[in-house]
Amino acid sequence: MAKILMKGNEAIAEAAIRAGATNYFCYPITPQTEVAEYLARRMPEVGGVFLQAESEVAVGNMLFGAASTGRRVFTSSSSPGISLMQEAMSYIAGAQLPCVILNIMRGGPGLGGILPAQSDYFQATKGGGHGDYRILCLAPSSIQEAVDLTMGAFATAEKYRNPVMIVGDGMIGQMMEPVEFPDDFDAGDPSKNEEWAATGAKGRKARIIKSLFLDPLKLEENSIVLHEKYEKMKVDEVRYERYKINSKNELMIVSYGTMARICQTAIDELEAEGISVGLFRPISLFPYPEKELRKEVDAKNIKTVLVIEMSCGQMVEDVERVVQGVKPVKFFGRTGGIVPSPEEAKEQIKNLIKKPTRAKKAAAKSTSKRKRKD
Amino acid sequence: MHTVQAEKTIFQRPESLTETVTHYCPGCTHGIIHRLVAESLDELGLRERAVGVAPVGCSVLIYNYFNCDFLEAPHGRAPALATGFKRIRNDMIVFTYQGDGDLASIGMGEIVHAANRGEKITVVFVNNAIYGMTGGQMAPTTLAGQVTTTCPHGRDTQQTGQPIRMSELLATLATPSYIERVSVHSPMHIIRAKKAVRKAFEYQKAGTCFSLVEVLSTCPTNWGMTPTDATKWLEKNLFAYYPLGCYKKPEEVG
Ligand SMILES: Cc1ncc(C[n+]2csc(CCOP(=O)(O)OP(=O)(O)O)c2C)c(N)n1
Ligand code: SF4
């Protein structure tokens, strides 16, 4: 198929339909409302379900009921709306149902603002609702990648019978880029969901889809089943990208989403100035590419790790966890809807790898001499 | 010695119920209401394509007692789950079973909007004027002056407002629906209640409208009464504030 120019929100909406997710529930919120508006037009064309609910609390729970049919279901929202869906996310994960949720993040906390942010990282990756559960979380950095990840997300959700969340910042939703919808994409076959879905107790025993286990041993058992799925995700679902990582790098940036693209621009410009910097871009935020990142950080030439986010510092905690103090981890972030520029990123990098000047070297020498004398 | 006549079954467990013994307290009418729902599913031949949605409340374990597929919802959200399910599978029969805390308090938003959208689902709303499961706290339906653990001196309507009449409230919506309030505290009332429950499922089967049957129910345990006193208390007190009857039929457009 030829490339077409599309706005991120609309491209993701179309990707969901192409993946066979013809059941969509929503509540309007900026900066992702175009997903709902696009699907309000598109769903009737494909004979799907489009429903605008009374709140995101209801959306999440409609998704729960809808996912119980075994059909592919989808919702989209932005930060404050995603907060309201956390009740349902916890229940859906507990009841082991697949669904896909898109969060086009905006600045918070509270009503915050409507401009791009990455400040929902903790909520998305650490389990925003109650209980021992995780959401598989993917962060695209371009609209094409958002399309590809969305198209694959449904089969992944079904493989694990667990929610998958696509997180993009406002730019992923709002910007326009050329995209291609692959014709031969294998989105998996949802008909096998009939094995566990509520389809009516005809010729089989009645099925119960639930997260309630009053017997502590049964609840522990269910939690272990969930835990094992998350451990399997850590083996099979890790995704990341390495950009210009090589043995000449003096510093490594860790950044995700559109922020990582801005860092790429900074890296390209620094390269022209003779400064070599690499970028590690996690695509799966949960499971986090732990081993893969650690391997890069352990390279002898890496002196410093710089995490850049559109938040006050959230993913940096995962990086620190992975790096375990073997190299210094520095952080730079802007938040509230402010997107750091490549210039800002470059300045941060330059400050960190600044070679000590001759004068400073001399001063350092004399200090050490003096110390020895004392 | 006398010969045994060929046995003729005159009463049996509905196919839609399992053999599991319920956990309800003696004298609690949840069990009767379960039976009325099960009989209706049997009679209308709906069991094999029925999906129930359980509430959070004393009847949370309803899925163990019904021989049909079941979903277990977060507190108050059953109508949202039912909506999500039914929108996709409109060939199936979807019902929720909810208490008054579940439906009239935490789930007020979900029930009003499901009714107003005219979701083709059936809601069995069990009003016992109290929170049973959590041990007898005030519900939005608790009567003025009624003593509960969170209004130990009786419900003060100056502070908490008047009890909510859900059937009347939902009947004000302009969307066509079937709404009836019944009781199960006496055999005569049980027979009438059965008719209403069956009718509610008939409307869904025909794809006509949203249907809700409010059933006045007893909670002897948390009302602090014997089962027989509880039925008397229900008739004396709940009847006055919650009049029985049909509040809305789809034929009457609001
Ligand atoms: C979000 C949430 N809040 C509170 C509770 C605790 N809770 C469980 S049942 C219940 C009240 C149920 O009362 P009602 O709906 O009247 O049903 P009954 O037990 O009387 O049949 C409450 C408050 C919960 N499970 N979830
Ligand atoms: S506490 Fe009340 S509502 Fe619950 S089972 Fe006992 S009598 Fe029934």
Side-chain angles (χ1 to χ4, degrees):
Chain A
M1 213 191 118
K3 286 199 174 189
I4 38 176
L5 190 65
M6 264 183 119
K7 197 173 193 174
N9 281 332
E10 298 190 341
I12 293 169
E14 182 61 30
I17 288 189
R18 302 282 176 113
T22 51
N23 305 291
Y24 174 77
F25 302 84
C26 66
Y27 189 82
I29 183 169
T30 308
Q32 63 74 52
T33 304
E34 294 87 355
V35 180
E37 290 170 341
Y38 183 87
L39 291 174
R41 290 194 305 273
R42 194 76 173 88
M43 276 306 182
E45 290 172 11
V46 296
V49 172
F50 171 91
L51 184 60
Q52 179 173 332
E54 65 271 29
S55 71
E56 290 88 347
V57 171
V59 169
N61 286 290
M62 286 176 185
L63 211 61
F64 183 178
S68 304
T69 62
R71 307 285 171 86
R72 289 190 167 165
V73 300
F74 174 55
T75 189
S76 61
S77 188
S78 180
S79 312
I82 297 290
S83 290
L84 282 190
M85 292 181 194
Q86 295 304 326
E87 172 190 66
M89 291 310 111
S90 166
Y91 277 76
I92 292 171
Q96 301 202 58
L97 295 173
C99 65
V100 175
I101 306 129
L102 169 70
N103 180 7
I104 297 293
M105 294 182 279
R106 59 188 245 181
L111 200 48
I114 58 167
L115 295 173
Q118 295 181 319
S119 43
D120 300 347
Y121 181 91
F122 286 149
Q123 185 193 52
T125 61
K126 308 295 176 191
H130 62 284
D132 260 338
Y133 79 97
R134 296 296 190 118
I135 302 287
L136 199 151
C137 183
L138 303 169
S141 73
S142 70
I143 297 181
Q144 183 65 55
E145 192 175 34
V147 163
D148 296 343
L149 292 178
T150 303
M151 286 184 78
F154 295 91
T156 309
E158 283 155 14
K159 178 175 167 195
Y160 293 96
R161 288 176 58 189
N162 199 72
V164 171
M165 184 180 278
I166 309 279
V167 293
D169 53 70
M171 278 182 294
I172 288 287
Q174 294 300 321
M175 68 184 169
M176 289 182 88
E177 284 187 324
V179 285
E180 191 175 1
F181 295 96
D183 290 325
D184 52 352
F185 192 90
D186 180 11
D189 176 16
S191 68
K192 63 183 185 315
N193 297 345
E194 304 267 312
E195 286 165 22
W196 50 259
T199 53
K202 187 175 184 179
R204 62 157 170 82
K205 273 171 61 182
R207 283 182 190 154
I208 305 165
I209 294 180
K210 64 175 179 118
S211 61
L212 176 69
F213 300 91
L214 288 172
D215 175 350
L217 285 174
K218 287 269 155 57
L219 180 56
E220 187 183 50
E221 205 175 282
N222 193 58
S223 297
I224 290 170
V225 168
L226 301 188
H227 182 74
E228 281 168 356
K229 294 197 300 192
Y230 307 140
E231 290 302 306
K232 190 166 162 32
M233 288 177 194
K234 287 180 185 175
V235 176
D236 293 344
E237 306 302 332
V238 167
R239 294 168 192 232
Y240 60 97
E241 188 195 17
R242 302 159 77 254
Y243 184 74
K244 296 196 173 168
I245 291 184
N246 58 54
S247 58
K248 291 199 289 294
N249 295 158
E250 299 172 57
L251 176 142
M252 193 168 64
I253 295 178
V254 187
S255 190
Y256 71 97
T258 46
M259 190 61 243
R261 274 173 83 176
I262 296 165
C263 292
Q264 286 182 2
T265 307
I267 288 170
D268 294 347
E269 290 176 13
L270 285 171
E271 198 175 35
E273 295 176 31
I275 299 171
S276 170
V277 174
L279 168 75
F280 187 91
R281 177 172 75 90
I283 297 171
S284 58
L285 302 184
F286 181 84
Y288 200 74
E290 297 170 2
K291 283 199 245 22
E292 296 74 10
L293 173 60
R294 180 59 191 261
K295 190 175 148 254
E296 305 301 349
V297 170
D298 279 343
K300 269 205 204 87
N301 52 300
I302 299 296
K303 302 281 181 289
T304 310
V305 179
L306 172 63
V307 181
I308 304 187
E309 295 178 63
M310 287 191 265
S311 79
C312 286
Q314 299 198 10
M315 183 182 73
V316 64
E317 292 194 7
D318 272 335
V319 176
E320 282 167 344
R321 183 172 60 81
V322 167
V323 173
Q324 291 180 308
V326 297
K327 302 275 165 82
V329 174
K330 304 288 179 191
F331 173 75
F332 175 66
R334 297 293 305 267
T335 190
I338 294 172
V339 181
S341 64
E343 284 64 38
E344 276 177 281
K346 273 159 55 181
E347 194 190 318
Q348 294 295 321
I349 296 165
K350 282 182 171 171
N351 283 343
L352 287 171
I353 61 174
K354 209 179 273 173
K355 297 257 169 19
T357 60
R358 216 177 272 167
K360 269 195 187 160
K361 266 188 194 162
K365 244 185 194 172
S366 64
T367 333
S368 53
K369 263 184 201 161
R370 202 169 43 234
K371 262 190 188 156
R372 244 179 270 151
K373 265 185 198 166
D374 292 341
Chain B
M1 233 180 86
H2 57 271
T3 52
V4 180
Q5 294 275 304
E7 283 178 31
K8 188 170 167 243
T9 305
I10 54 163
F11 191 79
Q12 65 180 358
R13 181 172 45 79
E15 206 193 341
S16 293
L17 288 181
T18 63
E19 283 179 50
T20 311
V21 177
T22 69
H23 67 289
Y24 300 116
C25 307
C28 175
T29 42
H30 265 306
I32 298 173
I33 304 165
H34 283 20
R35 187 174 172 105
L36 301 186
V37 173
E39 284 178 356
S40 301
L41 293 177
D42 278 14
E43 289 165 19
L44 298 171
L46 302 176
R47 185 190 73 83
E48 292 183 334
R49 58 186 176 107
V51 174
V53 187
V56 179
C58 275
S59 48
V60 66
L61 298 178
I62 185 172
Y63 50 69
N64 288 332
Y65 311 138
F66 270 76
N67 186 16
C68 67
D69 284 0
F70 246 94
L71 318 178
E72 180 249 329
H75 197 15
R77 317 289 180 228
L81 270 80
T83 298
F85 196 99
K86 182 80 185 193
R87 287 279 172 147
I88 298 176
R89 291 297 307 267
N90 60 11
D91 56 325
M92 288 183 68
I93 297 294
V94 184
F95 68 98
T96 73
Y97 186 104
Q98 304 176 257
D100 45 354
D102 195 81
L103 181 140
S105 189
I106 195 165
M108 179 61 105
E110 284 72 23
I111 189 63
V112 170
H113 286 279
N116 195 54
R117 285 189 304 263
E119 298 297 341
K120 310 297 183 287
I121 59 171
T122 298
V123 175
V124 180
F125 167 39
V126 180
N127 179 0
N128 58 11
I130 206 157
Y131 283 16
M133 191 198 208
T134 40
Q137 296 79 25
M138 186 184 75
T141 45
T142 295
L143 295 181
Q146 188 184 334
V147 171
T148 75
T149 60
T150 49
C151 48
H153 307 296
R155 179 173 183 167
D156 176 1
T157 55
Q158 289 296 321
Q159 299 289 330
T160 63
Q162 295 290 342
I164 300 178
R165 296 183 176 107
M166 282 309 300
S167 289
E168 288 86 333
L169 187 153
L170 293 172
T172 64
L173 300 172
T175 309
S177 64
Y178 168 63
I179 294 167
E180 178 149 359
R181 184 184 288 124
V182 298
S183 178
V184 287
H185 71 292
S186 80
M188 179 188 83
H189 288 93
I190 292 171
I191 291 167
R192 288 184 191 160
K194 167 68 188 297
K195 281 195 184 131
V197 171
R198 189 182 148 126
K199 202 164 176 190
F201 279 104
E202 281 170 351
Y203 278 125
Q204 184 180 172
K205 191 179 178 187
T208 311
C209 63
F210 172 86
S211 53
L212 177 142
V213 180
E214 175 176 346
V215 188
L216 299 182
S217 187
T218 59
C219 179
T221 303
N222 289 303
W223 291 356
M225 296 171 201
T226 62
T228 44
D229 284 350
T231 53
K232 282 183 206 138
W233 190 87
L234 184 152
E235 189 163 295
K236 183 156 173 275
N237 299 285
L238 292 188
F239 269 31
Y241 194 80
Y242 298 114
L244 303 187
C246 181
Y247 285 87
K248 196 164 178 156
K249 285 195 192 110
E251 299 81 32
E252 309 158 357
V253 176

